[in-house]
Amino acid sequence: MKLSCLQENLSRGLGIVGRAAAIRSTLPITQNILLAAEESRLKLVATNLEMAATCWVGAKIEEDGAVTIPARLLIDFVNSLPNELIDITLPSNSHAVEIKSGRFQAHINGIDAQDFPPVPSVSDGVITNVTSKALSDGITQVAFATATEESRPVLTGINAEFEGERLKLVAADGFRLAVHEMALNSAVGEKAMVIIPARTLSELNRLLGDQEEPVEITINQQKSQALFRLKNAELVSQLIQGSFPDYSQVIPQSYTTRAVVDVNEFLRITKMSSIFARDASGIVRLLITPGSELTPGKVTVSAQAEEIGGNVSEMDALVDGEEAKIAFNARYLSDVLSILHQPQVAIEVTTPSSPGVIHPVGVDNYIHVIMPMFVQW
Amino acid sequence: MTRCIFHIDLDAFFVSVERTLNPNLMKKPVIVGGDPSRHGVVASASYEARPFGIHAGMPLSKAHHLCPQAIFIQADFSHYRESSQRFMEILADFSPHIEPLSIDEAYLDVSGYEEPFGSSQKLALVVKKRIYEELKLTASIGIATCKVIAKIASDLCKPNGLLEVAPGEEHLFLNPLPLAKLPGVGKKTEQVLQEMGIATIGQLATLPLDTMKKRFGKFGTVIHSYANGIDDREVEAPGGTKSISKQTTFAKDNSDRHYLEASLHYLCDHVSTELRYLDQHAKCVVLKLRYTDFKTITRQVTLKEATDVSHVIFDTALQLLRKTLTQKEKAIRLIGIKLSSLSGKEKQLYMFDTRIEKWRHLDKAIAQIRRKYGASSLRKGKDIFI
């Protein structure tokens, strides 16, 4: 293998695939990146067996070939080089790659490319495409609500429901639920529901930042793998098997009290109370008070830590319905408030032990439900 | 205002209680613990037994070897608890600022309360007298301006002693004492300090604070101030329970998984019952294992949400145990479980998991049956191995 490419391009390519490489693994080769010189391009592949990222870098190929080298080492070295031409050479019958740029040179011991796990090819099944921005927004608004513990694997993923020209992303960790709906650019033939690992979608979201073009999504027939095709990269992911809980029954169909407040104000006073809530199981209490003819309605947010103290903040609100009390984990509130673009949000509640709903005002494609905390009032 | 703090410690508490029940035990070496043919440890040894080298925490088999003529008594905690409660009640008559440290010792802040008695020493004598008259137990009392010195003083004047370290004389008192007398300094710390050429509390006190901080972290600054006679801790009633724990030493060292898991289940059942009784939820589950060679380890998990459900607590502890036990395992001597990071009634409600509520109902039903028919009336299948 013999090729040359620009440091800038190689560095960008490594940045795209790098995070898909395994960090610790019982299969050491998954900590490597595959470099394959083919058809006048350099292909880079990394996989942790859950997802695989591939990207292509423009290069001048003098001799085809392939090898794998430790991801961390390669990335750190390439990133430390100046933006000039890099020559990469793999002498035949050797796994030691020579990397040379001007007066800098290194050799890195690799592992045979034959041993690198093949990236599954995903075709047939459900094929569609979606605007990058829409997909990115959707991921941002749901991914944080996935479970991080492995006790219920389906909750560590994001449920993706493809139907007609709509894609619904749903995430839940047992305490909160986020549902985001977006338009697809092309309708899917059949309805499909799959659970995509949150890690994959977060990684995809990172790559979407640089892209204007739509993303092509393919789910295979067995619904075991998904492929996301971007402009210069591909991400293939295993899908989580199992059935996502029936979340529709958790979303309240009505409310007895609804308060519309300023998102930033709400976020600010929630964070303020969370300072005290740290020592009180994270509990913040919301008191929603309707206004009268002369006074506006208000929402009071407070936290009380037995041995430390407490705080109370209030903000104006447009309140519809009767006075209401509800307590939440401060983090669940601030998590959702921090990802909203809209200036105003509605909070809808019924009883102190029924789920509360967070609804950005002016859009109907996003809903967030938080289970309250049971407290003594 | 200069504080006046008592540390009151009952002498050879368990043995002394046994003697009030059976006067024939007077003036003889008596050891309270479990059954010496099994794996118990010494809980308390009479002063007659101590010259043989016997001390609390020693395996009973060893105690038996050192002093075969001793009278071994199996501990009966119901008696001790009753005496302990009466002991604390007596102390509470002298000052409302009482802090029980364990079953047989307490701090008492008597600042201002000693005046009617003439002096703090006179007050201490009255306390001792009442304890003796009402409980037939002797106590040793250390008097000082702070907790740590009061505790050291009571330790030095045992048994049946009284020692006051007058205000301003803290350094004179502490300086010549060996390191081991300083509460908090265990064998390991002592060893490290000795390697640094430190043998007495006085020498420790003169070390630069920075050295201690670097070597021992936060703990270093604490013992450094203790060594200098500085201890601002208030005497205060425990503000709610901080943790709930239970442990058991096996009759025979054991490495059988089923047996270990069953024991763990039993302990979890016990601590979670107590947790619910106290109306608390726990966020942290700690597993403790002591191997046959006395090596002791603890492993802990912090739950995402605090819980009071037996099933969740056991499940968490079980994962910890399975993760900790590797293939070739040394036999286990002791297993224990601790619940900490306790919070009150507040709990996070669940969205889908109806199992949690079901388990909660199950716990409630079990508690009702046990209340009516006794604790042993209902056992879970897992306990069958023990």
Side-chain angles (χ1 to χ4, degrees):
Chain A
M1 182 173 84
K2 192 168 163 59
L3 63 101
S4 53
C5 62
L6 265 178
Q7 186 270 351
E8 188 185 7
N9 295 343
L10 182 57
S11 174
R12 194 187 306 124
L14 291 172
I16 289 171
V17 301
R19 293 212 206 174
I23 293 170
R24 275 180 303 272
S25 169
T26 46
L27 191 60
I29 199 168
T30 56
Q31 295 165 35
N32 285 11
I33 287 181
L34 172 73
L35 281 72
E38 54 185 36
E39 298 158 15
S40 81
R41 283 196 305 181
L42 171 64
K43 184 169 85 167
L44 303 172
V45 188
T47 180
N48 58 14
L49 300 181
E50 184 182 79
M51 65 174 154
T54 308
C55 88
W56 289 268
V57 175
K60 186 172 158 235
I61 310 288
E62 285 177 35
E63 196 184 311
D64 280 2
V67 69
T68 78
I69 38 185
R72 207 58 262 161
L73 194 60
L74 177 65
I75 293 170
D76 288 347
F77 179 67
V78 170
N79 285 346
S80 69
L81 289 174
N83 183 17
E84 278 160 24
L85 211 58
I86 299 179
D87 295 318
I88 300 176
T89 317
L90 177 71
S92 49
N93 301 324
S94 164
H95 293 136
V97 181
E98 284 174 28
I99 301 175
K100 208 176 150 191
S101 174
R103 302 169 71 179
F104 313 104
Q105 109 169 36
H107 61 273
I108 303 177
N109 293 327
I111 305 178
D112 196 330
Q114 298 288 329
D115 298 336
F116 198 76
V119 176
S121 72
V122 181
S123 53
D124 312 334
V126 179
I127 304 176
T128 182
N129 75 83
V130 59
T131 316
S132 288
K133 173 81 168 69
L135 184 57
S136 174
D137 280 352
I139 296 171
T140 307
Q141 292 200 329
V142 303
F144 67 90
T146 50
T148 46
E149 292 164 336
E150 299 284 334
S151 60
R152 288 188 79 185
V154 292
L155 296 185
T156 64
I158 292 171
N159 195 47
E161 299 172 30
F162 299 86
E163 187 175 12
E165 286 186 334
R166 310 294 296 172
L167 168 59
K168 205 189 258 183
L169 296 180
V170 186
D173 64 0
F175 308 112
R176 52 186 164 166
L177 168 76
V179 184
H180 180 102
E181 210 175 323
M182 70 191 80
L184 295 170
N185 291 339
S186 65
V188 293
E190 50 172 319
K191 188 179 169 182
M193 269 218 272
V194 293
I195 305 171
I196 308 167
R199 274 189 297 265
T200 301
L201 287 184
S202 297
E203 186 56 23
L204 176 66
N205 201 10
R206 196 175 67 84
L207 306 184
L208 288 175
D210 303 335
Q211 162 150 337
E212 304 268 307
E213 296 81 355
V215 183
E216 188 184 297
I217 304 174
T218 309
I219 311 283
N220 70 353
Q221 291 283 10
Q222 297 79 31
K223 302 212 166 45
S224 60
Q225 281 152 355
L227 162 68
F228 301 91
R229 180 169 289 144
L230 287 83
K231 195 175 147 204
N232 271 322
E234 285 180 9
L235 200 60
V236 174
S237 174
Q238 304 290 345
L239 297 173
I240 297 171
Q241 301 305 306
S243 51
F244 202 78
D246 178 13
Y247 61 87
S248 60
Q249 57 186 13
V250 175
I251 303 173
Q253 297 307 311
S254 61
Y255 58 83
T256 52
T257 307
R258 179 175 197 263
V260 175
V261 295
D262 182 86
V263 172
N264 289 331
E265 186 70 1
F266 195 8
L267 179 60
R268 198 159 68 93
I269 67 177
T270 301
K271 282 188 169 166
M272 209 184 278
S273 281
S274 71
I275 302 167
F276 290 89
R278 277 201 289 257
D279 292 292
S281 312
I283 299 169
V284 293
R285 291 154 199 256
L286 271 57
L287 172 63
I288 304 174
T289 318
S292 63
E293 275 177 34
L294 294 171
T295 52
K298 64 179 181 184
V299 173
T300 308
V301 178
S302 63
Q304 201 66 44
E306 206 175 311
E307 287 169 4
I308 291 155
N311 86 321
V312 185
S313 319
E314 54 177 61
M315 58 182 164
D316 286 344
L318 207 62
V319 180
D320 169 22
E322 57 215 53
E323 182 181 278
K325 289 170 174 175
I326 194 161
F328 292 116
N329 184 324
R331 196 167 63 80
Y332 295 164
L333 263 187
S334 58
D335 275 355
V336 59
L337 294 174
S338 11
I339 52 90
L340 297 178
H341 311 304
Q342 293 74 21
Q344 287 193 310
V345 69
I347 170 155
E348 299 164 0
V349 302
T350 43
T351 72
S353 55
S354 325
V357 178
I358 303 282
H359 230 141
V361 175
V363 289
D364 56 3
N365 71 336
Y366 184 67
I367 190 167
H368 193 85
V369 181
I370 310 178
M371 289 305 289
M373 296 203 59
F374 173 84
V375 300
Q376 310 295 113
W377 283 92
Chain B
M1 186 182 103
T2 314
R3 296 186 297 167
C4 180
I5 292 169
F6 285 10
H7 178 258
I8 307 123
D9 196 352
L10 295 172
D11 304 318
F13 177 55
F14 297 167
V15 170
S16 306
V17 174
E18 292 295 342
R19 281 175 172 166
T20 63
L21 300 169
N22 178 4
N24 289 334
L25 300 172
M26 287 295 178
K27 304 214 156 49
K28 289 174 189 162
V30 178
I31 292 169
V32 175
D35 179 348
S37 65
R38 289 158 62 99
H39 246 359
V41 293
V42 174
S44 172
S46 75
Y47 285 90
E48 291 80 6
R50 295 190 188 184
F52 294 91
I54 290 161
H55 57 81
M58 170 185 280
L60 279 175
S61 50
K62 192 170 173 197
H64 196 257
H65 178 74
L66 290 172
C67 182
Q69 69 271 38
I71 302 165
F72 287 85
I73 297 170
Q74 207 151 340
D76 181 352
F77 281 89
S78 57
H79 292 306
Y80 310 151
R81 258 194 289 274
E82 195 191 321
S83 295
S84 173
Q85 201 179 343
R86 289 174 59 197
F87 164 60
M88 299 297 173
E89 281 166 13
I90 291 171
L91 297 186
D93 281 351
F94 294 94
S95 163
H97 306 296
I98 174 174
E99 178 181 337
L101 270 185
S102 70
I103 195 165
D104 61 352
E105 57 178 324
Y107 286 117
L108 195 65
D109 186 338
V110 297
S111 312
Y113 295 92
E114 75 276 30
E115 279 196 27
F117 295 86
S119 73
S120 48
Q121 289 204 24
K122 282 183 184 152
L123 167 59
L125 287 171
V126 176
V127 173
K128 278 164 64 86
K129 190 162 165 248
R130 268 200 62 190
I131 294 169
Y132 188 75
E133 279 174 358
E134 293 178 31
L135 301 173
K136 297 280 169 278
L137 297 173
T138 62
S140 299
I141 302 184
I143 308 172
T145 54
C146 67
K147 282 162 105 175
V148 68
I149 297 178
K151 187 163 166 67
I152 298 172
S154 75
D155 180 41
L156 289 179
C157 69
K158 275 184 152 308
N160 199 10
L162 174 62
L163 177 59
E164 177 172 13
V165 179
E169 289 180 5
E170 288 85 1
H171 281 279
L172 280 177
F173 169 74
L174 287 175
N175 287 353
L177 295 176
L179 284 175
K181 289 287 173 199
L182 196 63
V185 175
K187 277 194 186 133
K188 270 213 183 117
T189 315
E190 191 185 356
Q191 200 185 338
V192 174
L193 285 168
Q194 272 170 355
E195 280 162 12
M196 293 161 70
I198 306 297
T200 65
I201 298 179
Q203 288 169 331
L204 171 57
T206 56
L207 269 186
L209 178 59
D210 235 29
T211 315
M212 288 299 289
K213 228 189 231 171
K214 268 189 200 131
R215 195 67 191 73
F216 300 99
K218 203 175 161 193
F219 168 69
T221 58
V222 172
I223 58 170
H224 187 264
S225 32
Y226 286 179
N228 278 293
I230 302 165
D231 176 8
D232 298 329
R233 290 174 301 159
E234 298 282 339
V235 172
E236 53 193 355
T241 317
K242 294 270 192 300
S243 71
I244 298 170
S245 62
K246 187 162 175 69
Q247 60 184 43
T248 180
T249 304
F250 297 132
K252 293 262 181 310
D253 291 351
N254 209 308
S255 56
D256 179 70
R257 295 273 170 122
H258 294 300
Y259 185 82
L260 292 173
E261 289 180 7
S263 306
L264 186 68
H265 184 263
Y266 170 78
L267 295 173
C268 287
D269 195 26
H270 198 280
V271 288
S272 46
T273 304
E274 189 170 347
L275 183 71
R276 289 190 294 273
Y277 176 76
L278 294 172
D279 247 334
Q280 299 275 308
H281 287 69
K283 209 167 177 187
C284 189
V285 178
V286 187
L287 171 75
K288 176 173 168 186
L289 291 175
R290 178 169 297 147
Y291 294 102
T292 186
D293 57 4
F294 279 86
K295 188 185 164 205
T296 308
I297 58 161
T298 58
R299 295 287 179 269
Q300 66 176 63
V301 167
T302 300
L303 300 167
K304 194 163 180 211
E305 295 298 338
T307 188
D308 68 345
V309 177
S310 293
H311 185 95
V312 176
I313 290 166
F314 172 64
D315 210 47
T316 310
L318 187 63
Q319 301 306 327
L320 271 178
L321 180 71
R322 288 185 176 164
K323 230 191 256 174
T324 310
L325 293 181
T326 47
Q327 302 277 314
K328 283 181 202 160
E329 197 53 55
K330 285 179 284 187
I332 307 281
R333 187 184 155 82
L334 170 151
I335 186 168
I337 196 83
K338 180 168 95 173
L339 305 177
S340 61
S341 297
L342 304 187
S343 56
K345 280 188 171 63
E346 296 82 9
K347 62 184 178 203
Q348 170 71 50
L349 301 175
Y350 287 76
M351 194 169 264
F352 311 116
D353 216 338
T354 50
R355 296 175 303 171
I356 302 278
E357 279 313 309
K358 284 181 186 161
W359 286 326
R360 215 170 247 138
H361 287 312
L362 181 64
D363 285 339
K364 227 182 234 169
I366 292 173
Q368 272 170 8
I369 292 170
R370 286 184 177 160
R371 244 199 314 278
K372 200 161 176 189
Y373 300 103
S376 57
S377 61
L378 192 150
R379 290 172 64 188
K380 292 193 190 167
K382 286 220 173 60
D383 294 346
I384 208 160
F385 291 100
I386 49 172

